[in-house]
Amino acid sequence: MLRDGWGGLSFSNSAGPWAEIALMLGAMWLAIILYIDAVVSPADTGLIFTALTPRLSYSQARVGNAPHGMTRLNKEGIPCFGLLITFIVACFLFFPFPSWAKMVGFITSGTVISFGSGPITVAALRRRLPDQEGPIKLPGGETLPFLGFLAANLIVFWTGWDTNWKLFLAMALGYVVLGLHYAFSDRSKIPPLQFKSGWWMILWLGGLAVLSLLSNYGDSAMGGRDQRREHQGDRSRTHRRQVILCPNIESFDAR
């Protein structure tokens, strides 16, 4: 937090280091613009996703992957039930995240991991339909999909276990809701799960969760805890060495 920078007000660090640099250089006007942008930009993104998410649930309900009630529209053509669910879920998301930066990390990881299945789909389609005509033809063969899949996984991996455990928990709950919906719905009106074709996603997400847990990224990760204990041990040994070499250092007179 930055305090006493402008009329005694405190600002969050969501504007990034550039606002802090502007404050240190005395460019108060630039810092104010950066902080305003730190509020306007997320609000703009939130407005877009608020309009988009209910329509995603509406489309899922139309194909049978979500409760049929989400297909209801008001007289303006807005899926009100999906909008209400979006509002409730968004309110609950404030509880597990202590700061805006943590929530941004969660949303970023969730967005990137949703892109991870895209390269796999491209590679599979190139194998199954090699002669399929299309408006464009991407170069790279199977190398480009592999690099895209690797990049998506690395971004999630580097985010750290402190954020990733919430992401994987949310995805696990989504699978549970999907399974319950499939178990208690009329299967003649919904598409089959086709688990034989999609089992690899559970293996992929589970493996990524284990790797994130064992990594050094995040204070609660196993590797991060080991590094923290080693760092604390080094500080303790350094302190004992200083006490042995100079036991009365606090009684020295500066004169």
Side-chain angles (χ1 to χ4, degrees), residues 28-219:
M28 189 62 59
W29 61 272
L30 179 58
I32 294 174
I33 292 176
L34 291 173
Y35 280 117
I36 292 175
D37 178 71
V39 175
V40 174
S41 295
D44 178 43
T45 304
L47 181 61
I48 293 173
F49 277 95
T50 300
L52 175 64
T53 305
R55 284 163 176 80
L56 289 176
S57 61
Y58 168 80
S59 63
Q60 291 295 311
R62 286 289 301 271
V63 299
N65 289 331
H68 183 72
M70 290 185 176
T71 60
R72 297 177 183 176
L73 303 176
N74 62 6
K75 60 181 180 180
E76 286 81 15
I78 299 174
C80 296
F81 187 68
L83 185 62
L84 177 62
I85 295 298
T86 300
F87 173 75
I88 295 174
V89 173
C91 289
F92 274 103
L93 284 177
F94 283 101
F95 290 101
F97 301 105
S99 65
W100 173 253
K102 296 292 185 181
M103 182 180 291
V104 169
F106 175 83
I107 296 173
T108 302
S109 294
T111 304
V112 171
I113 205 169
S114 67
F115 294 155
S117 59
I120 302 298
T121 304
V122 172
L125 289 175
R126 284 180 172 178
R127 287 190 177 187
R128 297 292 299 272
L129 303 171
D131 300 325
Q132 179 69 30
E133 296 292 334
I136 60 174
K137 186 175 181 62
L138 293 176
E142 295 184 358
T143 303
L144 189 61
F146 170 76
L147 294 177
F149 181 73
L150 178 63
N153 283 271
L154 287 176
I155 292 175
V156 176
F157 179 74
W158 289 333
T159 300
W161 180 248
D162 295 339
T163 299
N164 286 340
W165 76 265
K166 303 180 182 72
L167 173 64
F168 292 119
L169 177 61
M171 298 181 70
L173 292 176
Y175 274 107
V176 171
V177 172
L178 178 61
L180 293 175
H181 170 65
Y182 185 78
F184 294 101
S185 299
D186 186 0
R187 297 188 182 183
S188 62
K189 298 180 180 180
I190 59 178
L193 288 180
Q194 297 182 350
F195 185 75
K196 291 183 179 180
S197 301
W199 66 267
W200 65 271
M201 293 194 65
I202 297 178
L203 182 62
W204 162 43
L205 297 174
L208 185 58
V210 172
L211 290 176
S212 180
L213 174 62
L214 299 177
S215 71
N216 296 330
Y217 299 99
D219 293 336

Side-chain angles (χ1 to χ4, degrees), residues 1-5 8-14 20 23 35 98-100:
M1 303 291 286
L2 295 176
R3 297 186 180 276
D4 301 328
L9 296 178
S10 62
F11 300 98
S12 68
N13 291 329
S14 60
E20 299 179 10
L23 286 173
Y35 280 117
S99 65
W100 173 253

Side-chain angles (χ1 to χ4, degrees), residues 227-243:
Q227 284 189 343
R228 191 165 59 252
R229 283 195 294 265
E230 292 178 1
H231 180 66
Q232 291 174 351
D234 292 340
R235 291 182 59 185
S236 178
R237 286 191 293 270
T238 301
H239 177 71
R240 288 197 300 269
R241 192 178 301 114
Q242 291 175 348
V243 172

